[in-house]
Amino acid sequence: MSIDIKVPVLPESVADASIATWHVKVGEQVTRDQNLVDIETDKVVLEVVAPADGVLSDILDEEGATVLGEQVIAKFEEGAGAQKAQEQSAPATEKTSSNKGESVEIKVPVLPESVADATVATWHVQPGDAVSRDQNLVDIETDKVVLEVVAPADGTLSEILAQEGETVMGEQVIANFSAGAAPAKSDAPAKASSDDDSSDAENDALSPSVRRLLAEKGIDAANIKGTGKGGRITKEDVEKSLSAPSKAAAPAKEAPAAPSLAGERSEKRVPMTRLRKTIASRLLEAKNSTAMLTTFNEVNMKPIMDLRKQYQESFEKRHGIRLGFMSFYVKAVTEALKRFPEVNASLDGDDICYHNYFDVSIAVSTPRGLVTPVLRDCDTLGMAGIEGGIKELALKGRDGKLSMADMQGGNFTITNGGVFGSLLSTPIINPPQSAILGMHKIQDRPMAVNGKVEILPMMYLALSYDHRIIDGKESVGFLVTIKEMLEDPTRLLLDV
């Protein structure tokens, strides 16, 4: 059966989107909930997943094309080629099963000098599982980033030496691997493995829509039996679990009321990840060790919105990337930092260290928590360079590929809570930086202009700063400079 692949419904404030990356090609076989394509808006990247097992039969819009909400961008054939894939997988297993492989030690990667130890976060395979070369075996979590340890070759994980949650050191042996050995499994054990093991392994790869639905409804993924490929949980499975109590209404007469109430009032305890612990300690440190104060202003975003509308198409054709709001924010911040060096400084003991370079941290929300990768030398980058750098950091953050080098340094932070609908907030400083700028939701509001009321797209700005190093005069002047540059973007070109 042919199915239309459509662009997701876009938020009201987003007029159109762009095809960022096709992850599959025409004729390729895919599994249900596998990511087909990334759709990029001004603020976020949306994933469009396969509705079922099948084949992508036709791509209607190539990478870089501008598309609208619910526009058909591809054709999908449900069930096509699925049987072939199953037939091909059986002989492949038998072929590798006859090989005896040499034993290889799986070690923790070399940790940076500033990182003393790490934690085994998640094992994606279990002893006896057959894996392919470069398949992710385990996630190793440090205070700042998650490191993936992949299989050195096709083979089998023979033994796990460090369980999830254990603290490990750099280059410590955490597992043994048999290269080339992939024991064949009969149909019966395969089914058991599908029922038991795949639920844990596959739940770590839930699609974004399923994760969001589980979070909204407060449901534990462990309580849902998946019907997708390899026991993977789908949106339909979550929706069925929500309607399950109505089906159980008939036998409820025989069962006492107390157990059902107890089930609804259950609790789940999950240890904090190292990243979450680090975020918590640093935020508490910032609150307790700095004289933090926040000042506010508001910006008329109409000039920038008009400018983007006028030049969006030609900008994208020339540079191969969409013109977003963040490049304007970063440019305005960089120019303001040049004029107010105190905001670009940090305290080191009793000394004030003034930075003569402009590395801006960009707050990025990832599945594991908020991180702040650094966009370096912003004063030397044009609008296209800034947009490209931000996109690269955002994709790395989404995929868990940020390195220690991406996270270290940064003189000033920009956080954009507006992508989640925040109207106003007081962001917390990212030590040892001395200030952070919060951008918020762009919302139409009635404003007085030359004695008349006009409806304008307005956005609140919030600058939190360390009062020990930055006075009110500098903080207000810095924020007003950003406001003036955003309301008159030509200032960014003329440096006035």
Side-chain angles (χ1 to χ4, degrees):
M1 180 179 71
S2 181
I3 300 174
D4 290 339
I5 302 298
K6 298 181 180 181
V7 176
V9 177
L10 302 177
E12 292 183 7
S13 59
V14 178
D16 55 25
S18 177
I19 304 289
T21 308
W22 280 102
H23 295 288
V24 295
K25 297 178 181 179
V26 173
E28 281 191 8
Q29 299 168 359
V30 297
T31 57
R32 180 174 183 160
D33 292 329
Q34 180 178 336
N35 187 17
L36 300 178
V37 60
D38 290 340
I39 306 292
E40 185 179 26
T41 71
D42 295 336
K43 300 176 180 179
V44 295
V45 176
L46 307 171
E47 293 182 354
V48 179
V49 301
D53 293 353
V55 172
L56 190 68
S57 57
D58 191 16
I59 292 177
L60 305 179
D61 292 280
E62 299 294 339
E63 293 180 1
T66 299
V67 291
L68 302 175
E70 298 190 273
Q71 177 178 328
V72 178
I73 56 175
K75 297 289 184 179
F76 183 89
E77 291 295 329
E78 182 179 0
Q83 188 175 355
K84 274 188 183 177
Q86 291 176 355
E87 291 172 355
Q88 291 171 356
S89 63
T93 303
E94 291 172 7
K95 185 177 179 181
T96 56
S97 66
S98 62
N99 297 332
K100 275 191 176 180
E102 59 176 310
S103 180
V104 180
E105 292 181 336
I106 303 298
K107 297 182 179 181
V108 176
V110 177
L111 302 177
E113 292 182 9
S114 60
V115 178
D117 55 24
T119 300
V120 178
T122 308
W123 280 102
H124 296 288
V125 294
Q126 296 300 318
D129 285 357
V131 296
S132 57
R133 183 187 182 98
D134 294 331
Q135 181 178 337
N136 187 17
L137 301 177
V138 60
D139 290 340
I140 304 295
E141 188 173 25
T142 71
D143 293 338
K144 296 182 178 179
V145 295
V146 176
L147 307 171
E148 292 184 351
V149 181
V150 300
D154 293 348
T156 304
L157 187 70
S158 53
E159 184 183 13
I160 291 178
L161 304 177
Q163 299 298 326
E164 292 181 3
E166 289 189 24
T167 300
V168 292
M169 311 298 290
E171 297 189 274
Q172 177 179 331
V173 179
I174 55 175
N176 288 319
F177 182 86
S178 294
K185 297 183 181 180
S186 64
D187 292 341
K191 289 180 181 177
S193 174
S194 171
D195 290 339
D196 300 332
D197 298 335
S198 63
S199 59
D200 292 333
E202 294 295 336
N203 284 347
D204 289 333
L206 295 173
S207 67
S209 59
V210 173
R211 286 183 185 275
R212 193 179 307 114
L213 187 58
L214 288 171
E216 288 174 357
K217 303 300 181 181
I219 300 175
D220 182 2
N223 297 330
I224 300 177
K225 183 172 179 61
T227 60
K229 183 76 169 179
R232 188 171 184 172
I233 297 174
T234 65
K235 287 183 70 175
E236 290 79 4
D237 296 329
V238 180
E239 290 164 357
K240 284 180 183 177
S241 71
L242 292 173
S243 60
S246 62
K247 295 180 181 178
K253 295 179 181 179
E254 301 174 6
S260 63
L261 287 174
E264 292 173 6
R265 293 169 59 82
S266 63
E267 294 181 350
K268 179 184 178 183
R269 289 180 178 269
V270 179
M272 292 176 68
T273 63
R274 291 178 68 98
L275 179 59
R276 193 76 252 171
K277 287 180 183 177
T278 303
I279 292 172
S281 63
R282 286 179 63 82
L283 292 178
L284 193 61
E285 176 192 352
K287 181 181 177 183
N288 295 335
S289 63
T290 62
M292 192 166 65
L293 189 64
T294 305
T295 185
F296 304 94
N297 214 315
E298 59 183 353
V299 178
N300 173 17
M301 294 296 292
K302 191 174 187 304
I304 287 180
M305 295 175 80
D306 291 343
L307 191 65
R308 287 179 68 244
K309 186 176 181 180
Q310 182 179 357
Y311 293 106
Q312 178 73 269
E313 188 175 345
S314 56
F315 183 90
E316 190 170 354
K317 283 182 179 179
R318 181 175 178 83
H319 301 290
I321 192 168
R322 287 172 58 81
L323 179 62
F325 289 115
M326 281 301 294
S327 53
F328 290 95
Y329 300 158
V330 172
K331 266 294 184 185
V333 163
T334 303
E335 293 303 319
L337 288 173
K338 292 178 181 178
R339 303 181 189 190
F340 296 90
E342 295 84 1
V343 185
N344 198 36
S346 60
L347 283 176
D348 185 8
D350 293 331
D351 297 331
I352 300 177
C353 180
Y354 291 92
H355 306 292
N356 296 320
Y357 50 91
F358 304 90
D359 294 348
V360 177
S361 302
I362 308 294
V364 176
S365 180
T366 73
R368 294 182 180 270
L370 186 73
V371 294
T372 53
V374 182
L375 188 64
R376 305 190 188 278
D377 297 320
C378 293
D379 56 322
T380 66
L381 298 177
M383 303 291 274
I386 293 174
E387 289 291 348
I390 292 174
K391 180 182 177 181
E392 182 182 357
L393 293 176
L395 292 176
K396 279 186 177 181
R398 184 200 66 186
D399 298 334
K401 304 293 185 184
L402 288 170
S403 65
M404 294 295 295
D406 293 324
M407 304 293 294
Q408 292 174 333
N411 309 338
F412 184 90
T413 297
I414 299 176
T415 179
N416 189 359
V419 297
F420 305 111
S422 172
L423 185 63
L424 189 62
S425 67
T426 54
I428 298 179
I429 297 170
N430 183 21
Q433 299 174 12
S434 58
I436 179 173
L437 180 68
M439 324 298 289
H440 298 91
K441 180 181 179 181
I442 300 172
Q443 184 165 287
D444 287 345
R445 296 205 304 272
M447 303 294 294
V449 180
N450 298 326
K452 296 181 180 180
V453 176
E454 293 186 18
I455 304 298
L456 297 174
M458 303 298 294
M459 178 180 69
Y460 287 118
L461 301 177
L463 178 72
S464 293
Y465 60 97
D466 190 346
H467 214 335
R468 296 176 302 168
I469 184 173
I470 302 172
D471 292 329
K473 178 183 177 183
E474 285 78 21
S475 64
V476 173
F478 179 87
L479 204 54
V480 168
T481 299
I482 292 175
K483 170 184 169 67
E484 291 174 348
M485 290 186 175
L486 293 179
E487 291 187 337
D488 186 4
T490 53
R491 287 175 173 265
L492 295 173
L493 301 176
L494 299 177
D495 191 21
V496 295

